[in-house]
Coordinates of all heavy atoms in Angstrom, one line a residue:
M628 N 40.7 7.0 36.4 CA 39.4 7.0 36.0 C 39.2 6.6 34.5 O 40.1 6.9 33.7 CB 38.8 8.5 36.1 CG 37.3 8.6 36.0 SD 36.7 7.9 37.5 CE 35.0 7.8 37.2
W629 N 38.2 5.9 34.2 CA 38.0 5.4 32.9 C 37.6 6.5 32.0 O 36.8 7.4 32.3 CB 37.0 4.3 32.8 CG 37.5 3.0 33.2 CD1 37.8 2.6 34.5 CD2 37.9 2.0 32.4 NE1 38.3 1.3 34.4 CE2 38.4 1.0 33.2 CE3 37.9 1.8 31.0 CZ2 38.9 -0.2 32.6 CZ3 38.4 0.6 30.4 CH2 38.9 -0.4 31.3
S630 N 38.2 6.6 30.8 CA 37.8 7.6 29.8 C 36.4 7.4 29.3 O 36.0 6.3 29.0 CB 38.8 7.5 28.6 OG 38.3 8.1 27.5
N631 N 35.7 8.4 29.1 CA 34.3 8.4 28.5 C 34.4 7.8 27.1 O 33.5 7.2 26.6 CB 33.6 9.7 28.6 CG 33.2 10.1 29.9 OD1 33.0 9.2 30.8 ND2 33.0 11.4 30.2
H632 N 35.5 8.1 26.4 CA 35.6 7.6 25.0 C 35.8 6.0 25.0 O 35.2 5.4 24.2 CB 36.9 8.2 24.3 CG 36.7 9.7 24.1 ND1 35.8 10.2 23.2 CD2 37.4 10.7 24.7 CE1 35.9 11.5 23.3 NE2 36.8 11.9 24.2
A633 N 36.5 5.5 26.0 CA 36.7 4.1 26.1 C 35.4 3.4 26.4 O 35.0 2.4 25.8 CB 37.7 3.7 27.1
I634 N 34.6 4.0 27.3 CA 33.3 3.4 27.8 C 32.4 3.5 26.5 O 31.6 2.5 26.3 CB 32.7 4.2 28.9 CG1 33.7 4.1 30.1 CG2 31.3 3.7 29.3 CD1 33.7 2.9 31.0
A635 N 32.4 4.6 25.9 CA 31.5 4.8 24.7 C 31.8 3.8 23.6 O 30.9 3.2 23.0 CB 31.6 6.2 24.1
W636 N 33.1 3.5 23.4 CA 33.5 2.6 22.4 C 33.0 1.2 22.8 O 32.5 0.4 21.9 CB 35.1 2.5 22.2 CG 35.5 1.6 21.1 CD1 35.6 1.9 19.8 CD2 35.8 0.3 21.2 NE1 36.0 0.8 19.1 CE2 36.2 -0.2 20.0 CE3 35.9 -0.7 22.3 CZ2 36.5 -1.6 19.7 CZ3 36.2 -1.9 22.1 CH2 36.6 -2.4 20.8
L637 N 33.3 0.8 24.0 CA 32.8 -0.6 24.5 C 31.3 -0.7 24.3 O 30.8 -1.7 23.9 CB 33.2 -0.8 25.9 CG 34.6 -1.3 26.1 CD1 35.0 -1.3 27.6 CD2 34.8 -2.7 25.6
N638 N 30.6 0.4 24.7 CA 29.1 0.3 24.5 C 28.7 0.1 23.1 O 27.9 -0.7 22.7 CB 28.5 1.6 25.0 CG 28.1 1.5 26.5 OD1 27.5 0.5 26.9 ND2 28.4 2.5 27.2
D639 N 29.3 0.9 22.2 CA 29.0 0.9 20.8 C 29.4 -0.5 20.2 O 28.6 -1.1 19.5 CB 29.7 2.0 20.0 CG 29.4 2.0 18.6 OD1 28.1 2.0 18.2 OD2 30.3 2.0 17.7
Y640 N 30.6 -1.0 20.5 CA 31.0 -2.3 20.0 C 30.2 -3.4 20.4 O 29.7 -4.3 19.7 CB 32.5 -2.5 20.4 CG 33.1 -3.8 19.8 CD1 33.7 -3.7 18.6 CD2 33.0 -5.0 20.5 CE1 34.3 -4.8 18.0 CE2 33.6 -6.1 19.9 CZ 34.2 -6.0 18.7 OH 34.8 -7.1 18.1
T641 N 29.8 -3.4 21.7 CA 29.0 -4.5 22.3 C 27.6 -4.4 21.7 O 26.9 -5.4 21.4 CB 29.0 -4.4 23.8 OG1 30.3 -4.4 24.3 CG2 28.2 -5.6 24.4
R642 N 27.1 -3.2 21.5 CA 25.7 -3.0 20.9 C 25.7 -3.6 19.5 O 24.8 -4.2 19.1 CB 25.3 -1.6 21.0 CG 23.9 -1.3 20.5 CD 23.5 0.1 20.6 NE 23.6 0.6 22.0 CZ 24.5 1.5 22.4 NH1 25.3 2.0 21.6 NH2 24.5 1.9 23.7
R643 N 26.7 -3.3 18.7 CA 26.7 -3.7 17.3 C 27.0 -5.1 17.1 O 26.4 -5.8 16.3 CB 27.8 -2.8 16.5 CG 27.3 -1.4 16.2 CD 28.3 -0.7 15.3 NE 29.5 -0.5 16.0 CZ 30.7 -1.0 15.6 NH1 30.8 -1.8 14.6 NH2 31.8 -0.8 16.3
R644 N 28.0 -5.7 17.8 CA 28.5 -7.0 17.6 C 28.1 -8.0 18.7 O 28.4 -9.2 18.5 CB 30.0 -7.0 17.5 CG 30.4 -6.1 16.3 CD 31.7 -6.4 15.8 NE 32.0 -7.8 15.5 CZ 33.2 -8.2 15.2 NH1 34.2 -7.4 15.2 NH2 33.4 -9.5 14.9
G645 N 27.6 -7.5 19.8 CA 27.3 -8.4 20.9 C 28.6 -9.0 21.4 O 29.7 -8.3 21.4
V646 N 28.6 -10.3 21.8 CA 29.8 -10.9 22.3 C 30.4 -11.9 21.2 O 31.2 -12.7 21.4 CB 29.6 -11.7 23.6 CG1 29.3 -10.7 24.7 CG2 28.5 -12.7 23.4
K647 N 29.9 -11.7 20.0 CA 30.3 -12.6 18.9 C 31.5 -11.9 18.1 O 31.4 -10.9 17.6 CB 29.2 -12.8 17.9 CG 28.0 -13.5 18.5 CD 26.9 -13.6 17.6 CE 25.7 -14.2 18.3 NZ 24.5 -14.1 17.5
S648 N 32.6 -12.6 18.2 CA 33.8 -12.1 17.5 C 34.7 -13.4 17.2 O 34.4 -14.4 17.7 CB 34.6 -11.1 18.2 OG 35.2 -11.6 19.3
S649 N 35.7 -13.2 16.4 CA 36.6 -14.4 16.1 C 37.2 -14.9 17.4 O 37.5 -16.1 17.5 CB 37.6 -14.0 15.1 OG 38.4 -12.9 15.6
N650 N 37.5 -14.0 18.3 CA 38.1 -14.5 19.6 C 37.2 -14.1 20.7 O 37.5 -13.5 21.7 CB 39.5 -13.8 19.8 CG 40.5 -14.1 18.8 OD1 40.6 -15.3 18.5 ND2 41.1 -13.1 18.2
Q651 N 35.9 -14.6 20.6 CA 34.9 -14.2 21.5 C 35.1 -14.5 23.0 O 34.7 -13.7 23.9 CB 33.5 -14.8 21.1 CG 33.4 -16.3 21.2 CD 32.2 -16.8 20.6 OE1 31.1 -16.1 20.6 NE2 32.2 -18.0 20.1
Y652 N 35.8 -15.6 23.3 CA 36.0 -15.9 24.7 C 37.1 -15.0 25.3 O 37.0 -14.6 26.5 CB 36.3 -17.4 24.9 CG 35.2 -18.2 24.3 CD1 35.4 -18.9 23.1 CD2 33.9 -18.2 24.8 CE1 34.3 -19.6 22.5 CE2 32.9 -18.9 24.3 CZ 33.1 -19.6 23.1 OH 32.0 -20.2 22.5
Y653 N 38.1 -14.7 24.5 CA 39.2 -13.7 24.9 C 38.5 -12.3 25.1 O 38.8 -11.6 26.0 CB 40.2 -13.7 23.9 CG 41.4 -12.8 24.2 CD1 42.3 -13.1 25.1 CD2 41.5 -11.6 23.5 CE1 43.4 -12.3 25.4 CE2 42.6 -10.7 23.8 CZ 43.5 -11.1 24.7 OH 44.5 -10.2 25.0
Y654 N 37.6 -12.0 24.2 CA 36.9 -10.7 24.3 C 36.1 -10.6 25.5 O 36.1 -9.6 26.2 CB 36.0 -10.5 23.0 CG 35.1 -9.4 23.2 CD1 35.5 -8.1 23.0 CD2 33.7 -9.6 23.4 CE1 34.6 -7.0 23.2 CE2 32.8 -8.6 23.5 CZ 33.3 -7.3 23.4 OH 32.4 -6.3 23.6
L655 N 35.5 -11.7 25.9 CA 34.6 -11.7 27.1 C 35.5 -11.5 28.3 O 35.0 -10.7 29.2 CB 33.9 -13.1 27.2 CG 32.7 -13.3 26.3 CD1 32.2 -14.7 26.5 CD2 31.6 -12.3 26.7
V656 N 36.6 -12.1 28.4 CA 37.5 -11.8 29.6 C 37.9 -10.4 29.6 O 37.9 -9.7 30.7 CB 38.8 -12.8 29.5 CG1 39.8 -12.4 30.6 CG2 38.3 -14.2 29.7
G657 N 38.3 -9.8 28.5 CA 38.6 -8.3 28.4 C 37.5 -7.5 28.8 O 37.6 -6.5 29.6
L658 N 36.2 -7.8 28.4 CA 35.1 -7.1 28.7 C 34.8 -7.2 30.2 O 34.5 -6.2 30.9 CB 33.9 -7.6 27.9 CG 32.5 -6.8 28.1 CD1 32.7 -5.4 27.5 CD2 31.4 -7.6 27.4
E659 N 35.0 -8.3 30.8 CA 34.8 -8.6 32.2 C 35.8 -7.7 33.0 O 35.4 -7.1 34.0 CB 34.9 -10.1 32.5 CG 35.0 -10.4 33.9 CD 36.3 -10.8 34.4 OE1 37.2 -11.3 33.6 OE2 36.6 -10.6 35.6
R660 N 37.0 -7.7 32.6 CA 38.0 -6.9 33.3 C 37.7 -5.4 33.2 O 37.8 -4.7 34.2 CB 39.4 -7.1 32.7 CG 39.9 -8.5 32.9 CD 40.3 -8.7 34.3 NE 40.4 -10.1 34.6 CZ 40.4 -10.6 35.8 NH1 40.3 -9.8 36.8 NH2 40.6 -11.9 36.0
A661 N 37.3 -4.9 32.0 CA 36.9 -3.5 31.9 C 35.7 -3.2 32.8 O 35.7 -2.1 33.4 CB 36.7 -3.2 30.5
A662 N 34.7 -4.1 32.8 CA 33.5 -3.8 33.6 C 33.8 -3.8 35.1 O 33.3 -2.9 35.8 CB 32.5 -4.9 33.2
L663 N 34.6 -4.8 35.6 CA 34.9 -4.8 37.0 C 35.8 -3.6 37.4 O 35.6 -3.1 38.5 CB 35.5 -6.1 37.3 CG 34.6 -7.3 37.3 CD1 35.4 -8.6 37.7 CD2 33.4 -7.2 38.2
A664 N 36.7 -3.2 36.5 CA 37.6 -2.1 36.9 C 36.8 -0.8 36.9 O 37.2 0.1 37.7 CB 38.8 -2.1 35.9
S665 N 35.9 -0.7 36.0 CA 35.1 0.6 35.9 C 33.9 0.6 36.8 O 33.3 1.7 37.0 CB 34.8 0.9 34.5 OG 33.8 -0.1 34.0
G666 N 33.4 -0.5 37.2 CA 32.2 -0.6 38.0 C 30.9 -0.5 37.2 O 29.8 -0.3 37.7
I667 N 31.0 -0.7 35.9 CA 29.9 -0.6 35.0 C 29.2 -2.0 34.9 O 29.9 -3.0 34.6 CB 30.3 0.0 33.7 CG1 30.7 1.4 33.9 CG2 29.1 -0.1 32.7 CD1 31.2 2.1 32.6
R668 N 28.0 -2.1 35.0 CA 27.2 -3.4 35.0 C 26.7 -3.7 33.6 O 26.4 -4.8 33.2 CB 26.1 -3.4 36.0 CG 25.3 -4.6 36.1 CD 26.2 -5.7 36.7 NE 25.5 -6.9 36.9 CZ 26.0 -8.1 37.0 NH1 27.3 -8.2 37.0 NH2 25.2 -9.1 37.2
T669 N 26.5 -2.6 32.7 CA 25.9 -2.8 31.4 C 26.8 -2.2 30.4 O 27.4 -1.2 30.5 CB 24.5 -2.2 31.3 OG1 24.6 -0.8 31.5 CG2 23.5 -2.8 32.3
F670 N 26.9 -3.0 29.3 CA 27.6 -2.5 28.0 C 26.6 -2.8 26.9 O 26.1 -3.9 26.8 CB 28.9 -3.1 27.8 CG 30.0 -2.6 28.7 CD1 30.6 -3.4 29.6 CD2 30.5 -1.3 28.5 CE1 31.7 -2.9 30.4 CE2 31.5 -0.8 29.3 CZ 32.1 -1.7 30.2
G671 N 26.5 -1.9 26.0 CA 25.6 -2.1 24.8 C 24.2 -2.3 25.1 O 23.5 -3.0 24.4
G672 N 23.7 -1.8 26.2 CA 22.3 -1.9 26.6 C 21.9 -3.2 27.3 O 20.7 -3.4 27.5
G673 N 22.9 -4.0 27.6 CA 22.6 -5.2 28.4 C 23.6 -5.6 29.4 O 24.7 -5.1 29.4
D674 N 23.2 -6.4 30.3 CA 24.1 -6.9 31.4 C 25.2 -7.8 30.7 O 24.9 -8.8 30.2 CB 23.2 -7.7 32.4 CG 24.0 -8.3 33.5 OD1 25.2 -8.6 33.3 OD2 23.5 -8.3 34.6
W675 N 26.4 -7.3 30.8 CA 27.5 -8.0 30.1 C 27.7 -9.4 30.7 O 28.1 -10.3 29.9 CB 28.8 -7.2 30.3 CG 29.2 -6.9 31.7 CD1 28.9 -5.8 32.4 CD2 30.0 -7.8 32.5 NE1 29.5 -5.9 33.7 CE2 30.1 -7.1 33.8 CE3 30.6 -9.0 32.4 CZ2 30.8 -7.7 34.8 CZ3 31.3 -9.5 33.4 CH2 31.4 -8.9 34.6
Y676 N 27.5 -9.6 31.9 CA 27.7 -11.0 32.5 C 26.6 -11.9 32.0 O 26.9 -13.1 31.6 CB 27.8 -11.0 34.0 CG 28.2 -12.3 34.6 CD1 29.5 -12.8 34.5 CD2 27.2 -13.1 35.2 CE1 29.8 -14.0 35.0 CE2 27.6 -14.4 35.7 CZ 28.9 -14.8 35.6 OH 29.2 -16.0 36.0
A677 N 25.4 -11.5 32.0 CA 24.3 -12.3 31.5 C 24.5 -12.6 30.0 O 24.3 -13.8 29.6 CB 22.9 -11.6 31.7
L678 N 24.9 -11.6 29.2 CA 25.1 -11.9 27.8 C 26.2 -12.9 27.6 O 26.1 -13.8 26.8 CB 25.5 -10.6 27.1 CG 24.4 -9.5 26.9 CD1 24.9 -8.2 26.4 CD2 23.3 -10.0 26.0
G679 N 27.3 -12.7 28.3 CA 28.5 -13.6 28.1 C 28.2 -15.0 28.6 O 28.6 -16.0 27.9
S680 N 27.6 -15.1 29.7 CA 27.3 -16.5 30.3 C 26.3 -17.2 29.4 O 26.4 -18.4 29.2 CB 26.9 -16.4 31.7 OG 25.7 -15.6 31.9
E681 N 25.3 -16.5 28.9 CA 24.3 -17.1 28.0 C 25.1 -17.6 26.7 O 24.8 -18.7 26.2 CB 23.2 -16.1 27.6 CG 22.2 -16.7 26.6 CD 21.5 -17.9 27.2 OE1 21.3 -18.0 28.4 OE2 21.0 -18.7 26.3
R682 N 26.0 -16.8 26.2 CA 26.7 -17.2 25.0 C 27.6 -18.5 25.3 O 27.6 -19.4 24.5 CB 27.6 -16.1 24.6 CG 28.4 -16.4 23.4 CD 27.6 -16.3 22.1 NE 28.4 -16.6 21.0 CZ 28.0 -17.4 20.0 NH1 26.8 -17.9 20.0 NH2 28.8 -17.6 19.0
I683 N 28.2 -18.5 26.4 CA 29.0 -19.7 26.8 C 28.1 -20.9 27.0 O 28.4 -22.0 26.5 CB 29.8 -19.4 28.1 CG1 30.9 -18.4 27.7 CG2 30.4 -20.7 28.7 CD1 31.6 -17.8 28.9
Y684 N 27.0 -20.7 27.6 CA 26.0 -21.8 27.8 C 25.6 -22.4 26.5 O 25.5 -23.6 26.3 CB 24.8 -21.4 28.7 CG 23.7 -22.4 28.7 CD1 23.9 -23.5 29.5 CD2 22.6 -22.3 28.0 CE1 22.9 -24.5 29.6 CE2 21.6 -23.2 28.1 CZ 21.7 -24.3 28.9 OH 20.7 -25.2 29.0
Q685 N 25.2 -21.5 25.6 CA 24.7 -22.0 24.3 C 25.8 -22.7 23.5 O 25.6 -23.7 22.8 CB 24.2 -20.8 23.4 CG 23.0 -20.1 23.9 CD 21.8 -21.1 23.9 OE1 21.7 -21.9 23.1 NE2 21.0 -20.9 25.0
A686 N 27.1 -22.3 23.6 CA 28.2 -22.9 23.0 C 28.6 -24.3 23.6 O 29.0 -25.2 22.9 CB 29.4 -22.0 23.0
E687 N 28.4 -24.4 24.9 CA 28.8 -25.6 25.6 C 27.8 -26.7 25.4 O 28.1 -27.8 25.0 CB 29.0 -25.3 27.1 CG 29.7 -26.4 27.8 CD 28.7 -27.4 28.4 OE1 27.5 -27.1 28.6 OE2 29.1 -28.6 28.7
R688 N 26.5 -26.5 25.7 CA 25.4 -27.5 25.5 C 25.7 -28.9 25.8 O 25.5 -29.8 25.0 CB 24.9 -27.4 24.0 CG 24.3 -26.1 23.7 CD 23.1 -25.8 24.6 NE 21.9 -25.6 23.7 CZ 20.8 -25.4 24.2 NH1 20.6 -25.5 25.5 NH2 19.8 -25.1 23.4
G689 N 26.3 -29.2 27.0 CA 26.5 -30.5 27.5 C 27.8 -31.2 26.9 O 28.0 -32.4 27.2
R690 N 28.6 -30.5 26.1 CA 29.8 -31.1 25.5 C 31.0 -31.0 26.5 O 32.0 -31.7 26.2 CB 30.2 -30.4 24.2 CG 29.1 -30.5 23.1 CD 29.5 -29.8 21.9 NE 30.0 -28.5 22.1 CZ 30.9 -27.9 21.3 NH1 31.3 -28.5 20.2 NH2 31.4 -26.7 21.6
G691 N 30.9 -30.2 27.5 CA 32.0 -30.1 28.4 C 33.1 -29.2 27.9 O 34.2 -29.0 28.6
R692 N 32.9 -28.5 26.8 CA 33.9 -27.5 26.3 C 33.2 -26.5 25.4 O 32.0 -26.7 25.0 CB 35.0 -28.2 25.5 CG 34.5 -28.9 24.3 CD 35.6 -29.6 23.5 NE 35.1 -30.4 22.4 CZ 34.7 -29.9 21.2 NH1 34.8 -28.6 20.9 NH2 34.2 -30.7 20.3
V693 N 33.8 -25.4 25.1 CA 33.3 -24.4 24.2 C 34.3 -24.2 23.1 O 35.5 -24.4 23.3 CB 33.0 -23.1 24.9 CG1 31.8 -23.3 25.8 CG2 34.2 -22.5 25.5
G694 N 33.9 -23.8 21.9 CA 34.9 -23.5 20.8 C 35.6 -24.8 20.4 O 35.3 -25.9 20.8
S695 N 36.6 -24.6 19.5 CA 37.4 -25.7 19.0 C 38.7 -25.8 19.6 O 39.4 -26.8 19.4 CB 37.5 -25.4 17.5 OG 38.2 -24.2 17.2
E696 N 39.1 -24.9 20.4 CA 40.4 -24.9 21.0 C 40.3 -25.0 22.5 O 39.3 -24.5 23.1 CB 41.2 -23.6 20.7 CG 41.4 -23.4 19.2 CD 42.4 -24.4 18.6 OE1 43.3 -24.8 19.3 OE2 42.2 -24.7 17.4
L697 N 41.3 -25.6 23.2 CA 41.3 -25.7 24.6 C 41.3 -24.3 25.2 O 40.7 -24.0 26.3 CB 42.6 -26.5 25.1 CG 42.7 -26.7 26.6 CD1 41.5 -27.4 27.2 CD2 44.0 -27.4 26.9
S698 N 42.0 -23.3 24.6 CA 42.1 -22.0 25.1 C 40.7 -21.3 25.1 O 40.4 -20.5 26.0 CB 43.1 -21.1 24.2 OG 42.6 -21.0 22.9
D699 N 39.8 -21.7 24.2 CA 38.4 -21.1 24.3 C 37.8 -21.5 25.6 O 37.1 -20.7 26.2 CB 37.6 -21.7 23.1 CG 38.1 -21.1 21.7 OD1 38.7 -20.1 21.7 OD2 37.8 -21.8 20.7
T700 N 37.9 -22.8 25.9 CA 37.3 -23.2 27.2 C 38.0 -22.6 28.4 O 37.3 -22.2 29.3 CB 37.4 -24.8 27.3 OG1 36.7 -25.4 26.2 CG2 36.8 -25.3 28.6
A701 N 39.3 -22.4 28.3 CA 40.0 -21.8 29.5 C 39.5 -20.3 29.6 O 39.3 -19.9 30.7 CB 41.5 -21.8 29.2
F702 N 39.4 -19.6 28.5 CA 38.9 -18.2 28.6 C 37.5 -18.1 29.1 O 37.1 -17.2 29.9 CB 39.1 -17.5 27.3 CG 40.5 -17.0 27.0 CD1 41.1 -17.4 25.9 CD2 41.2 -16.2 27.9 CE1 42.4 -17.0 25.6 CE2 42.5 -15.8 27.7 CZ 43.1 -16.2 26.5
A703 N 36.6 -19.1 28.6 CA 35.3 -19.1 29.1 C 35.2 -19.3 30.6 O 34.4 -18.7 31.3 CB 34.5 -20.2 28.3
L704 N 36.0 -20.3 31.1 CA 36.0 -20.5 32.6 C 36.5 -19.4 33.3 O 36.0 -19.0 34.4 CB 36.8 -21.8 32.8 CG 36.2 -23.1 32.4 CD1 37.1 -24.3 32.5 CD2 34.8 -23.4 33.1
L705 N 37.5 -18.7 32.8 CA 38.0 -17.5 33.4 C 37.0 -16.4 33.6 O 36.8 -15.8 34.6 CB 39.3 -17.0 32.7 CG 40.1 -15.9 33.3 CD1 40.7 -16.3 34.6 CD2 41.2 -15.5 32.4
F706 N 36.2 -16.2 32.4 CA 35.2 -15.2 32.5 C 34.1 -15.6 33.5 O 33.7 -14.7 34.3 CB 34.5 -15.2 31.1 CG 33.2 -14.4 31.1 CD1 33.3 -13.0 31.0 CD2 32.0 -15.0 31.2 CE1 32.1 -12.2 30.9 CE2 30.8 -14.3 31.2 CZ 30.9 -12.9 31.0
L707 N 33.7 -16.8 33.5 CA 32.7 -17.3 34.5 C 33.1 -17.2 35.9 O 32.3 -16.8 36.8 CB 32.2 -18.7 34.2 CG 31.4 -18.9 32.9 CD1 31.2 -20.3 32.5 CD2 30.1 -18.1 32.9
S708 N 34.4 -17.5 36.2 CA 34.8 -17.5 37.6 C 35.1 -16.1 38.1 O 34.9 -15.9 39.3 CB 36.1 -18.3 37.7 OG 37.2 -17.7 37.0
H709 N 35.5 -15.2 37.3 CA 35.7 -13.8 37.7 C 34.6 -12.8 37.4 O 34.6 -11.7 37.9 CB 37.0 -13.3 37.1 CG 38.2 -13.9 37.6 ND1 39.2 -14.4 36.8 CD2 38.6 -14.3 38.9 CE1 40.2 -14.9 37.5 NE2 39.8 -14.9 38.8
G710 N 33.7 -13.3 36.6 CA 32.6 -12.3 36.1 C 31.5 -12.0 37.1 O 30.9 -11.0 36.9
G711 N 31.3 -12.8 38.1 CA 30.3 -12.4 39.1 C 30.6 -11.2 39.8 O 31.7 -11.1 40.4
V712 N 29.8 -10.2 39.7 CA 30.1 -8.9 40.3 C 30.0 -8.9 41.8 O 28.9 -9.3 42.3 CB 29.2 -7.8 39.8 CG1 29.5 -6.4 40.4 CG2 29.4 -7.7 38.2
P713 N 31.0 -8.6 42.6 CA 30.8 -8.6 44.0 C 29.8 -7.6 44.5 O 29.5 -6.7 43.8 CB 32.3 -8.3 44.5 CG 33.0 -7.8 43.4 CD 32.3 -8.2 42.1
V714 N 29.5 -7.7 45.8 CA 28.5 -6.8 46.4 C 28.8 -5.3 46.2 O 28.0 -4.5 45.9 CB 28.2 -7.2 47.8 CG1 27.3 -6.2 48.5 CG2 27.7 -8.6 48.0
W715 N 30.1 -5.0 46.4 CA 30.5 -3.6 46.3 C 30.2 -3.0 45.0 O 29.9 -1.8 44.8 CB 31.9 -3.3 46.8 CG 32.9 -4.0 45.9 CD1 33.4 -5.3 46.0 CD2 33.5 -3.5 44.7 NE1 34.3 -5.6 45.0 CE2 34.3 -4.5 44.2 CE3 33.3 -2.3 44.0 CZ2 35.1 -4.3 43.0 CZ3 34.1 -2.1 42.8 CH2 34.9 -3.1 42.3
A716 N 30.3 -3.8 43.9 CA 30.2 -3.3 42.6 C 28.7 -3.1 42.2 O 28.4 -2.3 41.3 CB 30.8 -4.2 41.6
N717 N 27.8 -3.8 42.9 CA 26.4 -3.6 42.6 C 25.9 -2.2 43.0 O 24.9 -1.8 42.5 CB 25.5 -4.6 43.4 CG 25.7 -6.0 42.9 OD1 25.9 -6.2 41.7 ND2 25.5 -7.0 43.7
K718 N 26.7 -1.5 43.8 CA 26.3 -0.1 44.2 C 26.9 0.9 43.3 O 26.7 2.1 43.5 CB 26.7 0.1 45.7 CG 26.1 -1.0 46.6 CD 25.9 -0.4 47.9 CE 25.4 -1.5 48.8 NZ 24.0 -1.8 48.6
L719 N 27.7 0.5 42.3 CA 28.3 1.4 41.4 C 27.5 1.8 40.2 O 26.3 1.4 40.1 CB 29.7 0.9 41.0 CG 30.7 0.7 42.1 CD1 32.0 0.0 41.5 CD2 31.0 2.0 42.8
Q720 N 28.0 2.6 39.4 CA 27.3 3.2 38.2 C 26.8 2.2 37.2 O 27.4 1.3 36.9 CB 28.3 4.2 37.6 CG 27.9 4.7 36.2 CD 29.0 5.4 35.6 OE1 30.1 5.4 36.0 NE2 28.7 6.0 34.5
L721 N 25.5 2.5 36.8 CA 25.0 1.8 35.6 C 25.1 2.8 34.5 O 24.4 3.8 34.5 CB 23.5 1.4 35.8 CG 23.3 0.3 36.8 CD1 21.8 0.1 37.0 CD2 23.9 -1.0 36.3
Y722 N 26.1 2.6 33.6 CA 26.4 3.6 32.6 C 25.2 3.9 31.8 O 24.5 3.0 31.3 CB 27.5 3.1 31.7 CG 28.1 4.2 30.8 CD1 28.9 5.1 31.2 CD2 27.7 4.2 29.5 CE1 29.4 6.1 30.4 CE2 28.1 5.1 28.6 CZ 29.0 6.1 29.1 OH 29.5 7.0 28.2
G723 N 24.9 5.2 31.6 CA 23.8 5.6 30.7 C 22.5 5.7 31.5 O 21.5 6.0 30.9
R724 N 22.5 5.4 32.7 CA 21.2 5.5 33.5 C 21.2 6.6 34.5 O 22.1 7.0 35.0 CB 21.0 4.2 34.2 CG 20.6 3.1 33.2 CD 20.2 1.9 34.0 NE 19.9 0.9 33.0 CZ 19.3 -0.2 33.3 NH1 19.0 -0.5 34.5 NH2 19.1 -1.1 32.4

């Protein structure tokens, strides 16, 4: 079971910083993994997948890549490919609601 402290930290961090960090695409993959493992659909008051995919869309803007490194694009694609929550997770907890 996920620790309430870990969930609270992710909520607080995401609320304060959003998905913007120096390694934002790596962070997105970690957030996606934590969300899918815990069954939580929202972090920091927003839908984590919507926030992350919007950030990736804004960064890509028709260039075919995100960030300055190939690894940025790889992490962004990993987030997008695994981030869609399957049907079973839609029935799980919305943290804080």
Side-chain angles (χ1 to χ4, degrees):
M628 193 73 190
W629 279 79
S630 162
N631 285 339
H632 295 292
I634 303 279
W636 184 89
L637 278 170
N638 269 314
D639 183 53
Y640 185 87
T641 305
R642 186 177 301 111
R643 285 185 294 116
R644 298 198 55 189
V646 294
K647 298 174 185 169
S648 70
S649 60
N650 297 314
Q651 63 187 330
Y652 306 108
Y653 180 75
Y654 168 74
L655 283 174
V656 171
L658 185 65
E659 171 254 331
R660 292 289 165 196
L663 290 180
S665 65
I667 293 175
R668 185 69 178 158
T669 61
F670 282 116
D674 181 323
W675 58 266
Y676 187 74
L678 291 170
S680 57
E681 178 63 26
R682 181 75 182 139
I683 291 168
Y684 172 75
Q685 293 298 325
E687 192 270 338
R688 294 299 234 176
R690 297 181 316 153
R692 64 180 174 83
V693 295
S695 60
E696 301 290 328
L697 181 59
S698 61
D699 292 338
T700 301
F702 282 124
L704 290 173
L705 188 61
F706 170 83
L707 292 172
S708 68
H709 291 134
V712 177
V714 174
W715 64 268
N717 286 332
K718 304 209 180 290
L719 296 178
Q720 167 189 9
L721 290 176
Y722 188 79
R724 290 189 180 186

